[in-house]
Structures are given as C-alpha cells and as structure tokens.
Amino acid sequence: NLTLGASLLISLMSVCTVHVVRHGQVHNPDAVFYGRIEGFRLADVGVKQARQCGQKLIEQGYAADIGAFFSSPQLRARETVENIVNALGEEAVCTNYSILESFNEIESPLQGTSIANCESIKWELYNPECIEKLLGSVPPFETFEEAYNRTKQGIEELAHVCRENNYKSVLVTSHGACVLAAKLIANKMQAADRTEVLDDKEFYPKYCAVISLTIDSDDNCISHSEITGEATDNKKV
C-alpha cells in the first residue's frame, strides 16, 4: 500500500531526538544555593565533565546528528555547551548556540542561602513550610510543576525546530530541576512524582548527565536513553 508506506515514511522522518544536559560542577567556594545569581562559572572539574560529555556523545554516535545547540541563560550552562561543542571538534555540525529561557534555572527565594540550609530541609525547595522555616516568610516562588511544564514546552519547541530544519537531533544545556523534569517526562511520570524520586541518588541527574528523548510527530516521547554523567559532589544545584 503506497499510501500507508508514504505515511509511515513521513512519520519516521518526523521523529527526532532532544538531548537535555545538566551543566557541569560549579565553582562555589562559599557553598551557596546560587539559583539565578549571575556569575557562577564552571569549576575546573566541571569543564572536564563537559568535555567528557562531548566525548561520550561521539562514542555513542550522537554527535554528528546534532543540528543545533541551545543553552539556559546561566553562565554555567553556557560554558557547558561551549565545552561540549569544543570536545566534539570536527564532529560538530555547528559551533554556535542559542539561549532558551524555558530551560533556565528555577526561580527560588532561597537562592543565596547556604547549601547546608538546603540540606537541612532535604532540598524541599518547593515546600512553603520549608521556605518559611529558613526565611521566616514565603515570598513568591516557582513550583516544580511550573518548572516541569515549561521544560515540557521547551522540549516540544525543540522538536519543532528539528522538524522545521530537518535536524535529526538538537542539544540543550540546563539545570538539575529541568533535567529531572525531562527524565520524568521520558519515563511517563508527572511533576507530582518528583517526591517519589527525590531521595533516589541514582535517579537524580548527575553533573553533565544527558537525557535523550525521542519525540514523535505528536510531541510524545516514544523512547529515551541516558548518559549518566559524573557523580562528583553531586549537589541538587
């Protein structure tokens, strides 16, 4: 059946992959939850992690298929994508990248507080009672559901970029919350399922982890894979 065959071919051509990458480890000598505070760059080990990520993309056969690169606006994410591209070398189809706000760090009133304080509330950054415990009040904050939804929208937007430009895949560097959201989406889980995996050290994305989502023409994730990344000092920031 020619019509059926043509439909199948069109469907297969519409399938693409979105790689969502957590940034590398950050230079953070004062051990603070930096959130969206400007100027937090990669530590030397973070640069190494990003370059190793690029090598892993080559080894697993992803590199040459990446048609475009994107990043959160934060410096650490920008430096991560830059080092990934440098590591890809001649395998990289392009060397520039674009900024995507949908993959930015969460907006939290706890940014600037110590990591020790965040650990004291078990990283319950979206719990009003925990926020009040540390700050004495509950300023406006972004919920994980909101971060999950904008990540989902961002993945769909990148899938559209692939289809419009005939890319097989694209890559975006982001942050722990967004990469966790991408992993939940890949596993057919909802934002509310975050609480079930919060204490699972194997589930939470490590530095420079890559969640690769295969997206069909209806913007559904039909399969996924993961490059696990580096566990060194794996904080949830």
Side-chain angles (χ1 to χ4, degrees), residues 8-228:
L8 179 60
L9 179 61
I10 291 172
S11 178
L12 289 173
M13 290 175 64
S14 298
V15 170
C16 61
T17 299
V18 177
H19 303 288
V20 186
V21 185
R22 188 183 175 196
H23 63 76
Q25 187 172 331
V26 174
H27 179 69
N28 185 13
D30 295 326
V32 299
F33 169 43
Y34 33 76
R36 294 189 178 189
I37 299 173
E38 294 183 1
F40 278 88
R41 61 175 176 82
L42 291 182
D44 290 345
V45 67
V47 172
K48 182 179 179 181
Q49 290 163 349
R51 291 174 179 171
Q52 288 174 336
C53 180
Q55 288 298 317
K56 290 176 183 177
L57 289 166
I58 293 172
E59 291 166 6
Q60 297 199 19
Y62 290 130
D65 289 338
I66 300 172
F69 296 91
F70 299 86
S71 174
S72 151
Q74 302 304 320
L75 176 61
R76 55 193 180 275
R78 301 198 316 266
E79 289 184 337
T80 298
V81 74
E82 289 166 3
N83 279 282
I84 288 173
V85 170
N86 287 340
L88 295 182
E90 294 182 357
E91 294 274 352
V93 174
C94 63
T95 56
N96 60 327
Y97 62 92
S98 302
I99 298 297
L100 280 184
E101 183 63 32
S102 53
F103 288 92
N104 201 350
E105 178 63 281
I106 61 167
E107 289 190 89
S108 173
L110 294 178
Q111 69 177 30
T113 193
S114 70
I115 285 177
N117 278 343
C118 293
E119 290 176 340
S120 75
I121 59 170
K122 298 182 178 180
W123 290 97
E124 286 289 353
L125 305 179
Y126 314 96
N127 185 322
E129 292 181 1
C130 292
I131 293 173
E132 185 173 16
K133 178 182 177 181
L134 293 182
L135 301 182
S137 63
V138 185
F141 66 96
E142 182 178 32
T143 66
F144 183 72
E145 183 177 6
E146 290 170 332
Y148 176 100
N149 288 337
R150 65 174 166 86
T151 300
K152 188 174 186 293
Q153 182 179 1
I155 291 169
E156 292 172 358
E157 290 173 354
L158 289 179
H160 293 168
V161 169
C162 285
R163 296 185 201 110
E164 290 170 359
N165 295 279
N166 293 320
Y167 297 151
K168 290 183 179 179
S169 66
V170 294
L171 181 148
V172 58
T173 49
S174 187
H175 307 271
C178 292
V179 182
L180 175 60
K183 190 168 182 176
L184 291 172
I185 292 165
N187 284 277
K188 311 297 183 187
M189 300 170 76
Q190 302 302 312
D193 295 318
R194 169 186 173 272
T195 55
E196 297 180 15
V197 302
L198 186 63
D199 294 325
D200 186 344
K201 293 181 180 179
E202 295 305 315
F203 194 91
Y204 196 88
K206 298 176 176 63
Y207 291 120
C208 286
V210 184
I211 310 299
S212 300
L213 302 92
T214 302
I215 309 296
D216 68 12
S217 57
D218 295 319
D219 290 334
N220 297 312
C221 178
I222 57 175
S223 66
H224 71 279
S225 61
E226 180 177 358
I227 297 174
T228 56

